[in-house]
Amino acid sequence: MSAFAVGRALLLVLLGALTVSVARAPAQSGSAGLSRAQAYARAAALDALGRKLFADPSLSASGRLACTTCHDPRFGYGPPNTRDVQLGGKTMREPGLRAVPSLKYLQAVPQFAEHYYESDDEGDPSVDNGPTGGLTWDGRVDRRRDQARLPLLSPFEMANDGAADVAAKVRKAGYADEMRRIFSDTIFDDSERAFAGVVEALEVYQQNAAEFYPYSSRYDGYLAGRVQLSPQETRGLALFNDPAKGNCANCHRSAPGNDGTPPQFTDYGLIAIGVPRNRHIPANADPNFYDLGACGPLRSDLAGRGEFCGLFRTPSLRNVALRKTFFHNGSVHSLREAVAFYVERDTDPDKWYARNANGKVRKYDDVPTQYQLNINSEPPFGARTADQPALSASEIDDIVAFLKTLSDAESTGR
């Protein structure tokens, strides 16, 4: 077995153990003391229940919004449409603040840390990688069950008024008896406990390796020696990795880990890249409103910490070719344009940013001036307007061709 295959097997074993540990959680379910076989059986039951919860629109206030509405399995558990942000709320007319991210390949995201030291891949445990981790765009939750709470209670998503609202809906659902079998006959007597059971089931379902981290892309086949990349894809991979060209692998790591684990195509870091303000997001009609990621408004514990303003977590690029909107604010609508932004942001700002009344380009217009020092200037950023972009048009096409090799075999994008 190759080092890659061994690493993958070890990863799946570890993640299986994680699922069992979740299933054992006594605070949620009273499942302490289960045998290994019982724990696996309980995890399987939670997986099946979570799948039903994930696809059930009746859990929303509108009765029309399920998790699958925005996290469609055919699109890498991301949105199936071209909307900058998705609509939800009690009337299905409330727009969100951010583009919906994919839920795939989140199993290895570390807990949020203001200062992250990674010795395994960096090789130097003294290197501070800065703010890293967390499961959302702003890193504000660390566990899948906590992430699952957010859309259930968000006023512009499923818009439930609280735990009791969710518990009442589940009690009426066709799978209520499954809740009772897994947790207890009295699970619905305590709405907080029932709600905790719901998000635990959603968490366990999202640890289903076959669906959420299958590593079935052509690139995985290439790393395993089973697939040949085309000449264009090969050029694109080289440009992706080249520090003097795309430098994409600086944040979107493309090589297996030192232990053979498959590349996740992210370093999990939080970074400000200064994407253009999206004026199609209704909240942005207020010139004084800014979505500043880690320092608010959806995250509150780092409010007032200027060094975190404008920072958003680097997403995995796996299945990126299935997306129809890009970046945290959905301001770009094609993969090619997303790649072009990186090499043209500083060489051709007029293409990307609006102008003031005096005709001057408002560069970095979605980040207030006092926080613009946070914006990343590592290559391919940092060039001057008079410079040539780090990538030519044909080289951008090559990188896009490579990125298409990262789509899982199970996803169709249709």
Side-chain angles (χ1 to χ4, degrees), residues 251-382:
C251 294
H252 299 282
R253 296 178 184 168
S254 60
N258 290 340
D259 59 356
T261 52
Q264 303 303 304
F265 282 88
T266 176
D267 64 357
Y268 312 112
L270 275 72
I271 186 173
I273 61 172
V275 295
R277 188 170 179 86
N278 187 345
R279 285 164 175 77
H280 294 116
I281 296 176
N284 285 344
D286 179 357
N288 297 312
F289 174 83
Y290 291 93
D291 183 357
L292 294 177
C295 79
L298 299 181
R299 181 170 187 165
S300 59
D301 61 315
L302 298 176
R305 301 279 300 277
E307 68 270 30
F308 294 102
C309 291
L311 274 60
F312 294 86
R313 186 170 61 78
T314 302
S316 171
L317 293 184
R318 287 180 172 273
N319 296 296
V320 69
L322 303 181
R323 295 193 64 86
K324 300 177 186 295
T325 55
F326 299 86
F327 304 124
H328 72 272
N329 64 0
S331 58
V332 172
H333 288 271
S334 81
L335 180 55
R336 193 186 189 286
E337 286 294 286
V339 176
F341 170 77
Y342 283 90
V343 294
E344 296 175 352
R345 184 195 76 179
D346 296 327
T347 61
D348 189 9
D350 189 50
K351 175 179 175 179
W352 299 99
Y353 299 101
R355 290 179 176 270
N356 290 323
N358 62 6
K360 184 178 180 180
V361 175
R362 293 182 58 204
K363 195 173 179 181
Y364 312 142
D365 59 355
D366 208 26
V367 178
T369 303
Q370 66 266 35
Y371 304 128
Q372 290 182 3
L373 289 177
N374 294 341
I375 294 174
N376 187 272
S377 60
E378 295 179 322
F381 297 136

Side-chain angles (χ1 to χ4, degrees), residues 80-409:
N81 56 49
T82 60
R83 292 193 185 111
D84 301 21
V85 296
Q86 300 299 304
L87 300 175
K90 295 181 185 296
T91 65
M92 285 296 290
R93 296 178 180 176
E94 293 294 326
L97 294 179
R98 296 173 184 164
V100 171
S102 169
L103 293 181
K104 295 191 86 169
Y105 296 101
L106 298 179
Q107 78 284 355
V109 179
Q111 293 186 349
F112 175 80
E114 295 185 22
H115 303 280
Y116 186 73
Y117 301 89
E118 182 184 27
S119 60
D120 179 47
D121 286 327
E122 294 291 342
D124 183 352
S126 69
V127 174
D128 182 0
N129 293 282
T132 302
L135 292 174
T136 54
W137 275 115
D138 53 24
R140 70 189 184 276
V141 297
D142 293 322
R143 301 189 304 172
R144 296 260 190 145
R145 65 184 61 183
D146 295 327
Q147 182 189 41
R149 296 175 65 93
L150 299 177
L152 286 166
L153 303 179
S154 168
F156 43 79
E157 294 182 73
M158 300 179 87
N160 290 291
D161 293 328
D165 204 4
V166 176
K169 290 179 172 68
V170 175
R171 187 171 192 167
K172 296 176 183 177
Y175 44 78
D177 285 343
E178 293 178 47
M179 285 279 292
R180 295 185 179 95
R181 283 194 295 271
I182 294 170
F183 297 101
S184 76
D185 289 337
T186 60
I187 183 65
F188 293 109
D189 292 351
D190 182 339
S191 60
E192 290 290 342
R193 184 166 167 248
F195 186 53
V198 167
V199 295
E200 182 184 2
L202 287 168
E203 177 180 51
V204 172
Y205 170 58
Q206 290 176 70
Q207 292 168 348
N208 184 312
E211 296 197 29
F212 288 91
Y213 39 98
Y215 297 104
S216 61
S217 71
R218 289 186 59 242
Y219 185 66
D220 292 305
Y222 164 77
L223 291 177
R226 301 190 307 269
V227 172
Q228 290 280 335
L229 298 184
S230 72
Q232 184 181 33
E233 292 163 349
T234 301
R235 292 195 303 270
L237 173 58
L239 292 163
F240 185 95
N241 291 331
D242 188 342
K245 298 297 286 185
N247 198 31
C248 312
N250 185 45
C251 294
H252 299 282
R253 296 178 184 168
S254 60
N258 290 340
D259 59 356
T261 52
Q264 303 303 304
F265 282 88
T266 176
D267 64 357
Y268 312 112
L270 275 72
I271 186 173
I273 61 172
V275 295
R277 188 170 179 86
N278 187 345
R279 285 164 175 77
H280 294 116
I281 296 176
N284 285 344
D286 179 357
N288 297 312
F289 174 83
Y290 291 93
D291 183 357
L292 294 177
C295 79
L298 299 181
R299 181 170 187 165
S300 59
D301 61 315
L302 298 176
R305 301 279 300 277
E307 68 270 30
F308 294 102
C309 291
L311 274 60
F312 294 86
R313 186 170 61 78
T314 302
S316 171
L317 293 184
R318 287 180 172 273
N319 296 296
V320 69
L322 303 181
R323 295 193 64 86
K324 300 177 186 295
T325 55
F326 299 86
F327 304 124
H328 72 272
N329 64 0
S331 58
V332 172
H333 288 271
S334 81
L335 180 55
R336 193 186 189 286
E337 286 294 286
V339 176
F341 170 77
Y342 283 90
V343 294
E344 296 175 352
R345 184 195 76 179
D346 296 327
T347 61
D348 189 9
D350 189 50
K351 175 179 175 179
W352 299 99
Y353 299 101
R355 290 179 176 270
N356 290 323
N358 62 6
K360 184 178 180 180
V361 175
R362 293 182 58 204
K363 195 173 179 181
Y364 312 142
D365 59 355
D366 208 26
V367 178
T369 303
Q370 66 266 35
Y371 304 128
Q372 290 182 3
L373 289 177
N374 294 341
I375 294 174
N376 187 272
S377 60
E378 295 179 322
F381 297 136
R384 297 171 300 177
T385 304
D387 294 338
Q388 287 295 315
L391 299 171
S392 67
S394 63
E395 288 173 330
I396 290 173
D397 290 337
D398 291 345
I399 288 182
V400 170
F402 164 67
L403 292 173
K404 291 179 179 178
T405 72
L406 305 183
S407 298
D408 290 321

Side-chain angles (χ1 to χ4, degrees), residues 8-23:
R8 177 178 176 178
L10 287 172
L11 177 66
L12 296 180
V13 168
L14 289 171
L15 290 167
L18 175 61
T19 298
V20 172
S21 71
V22 170

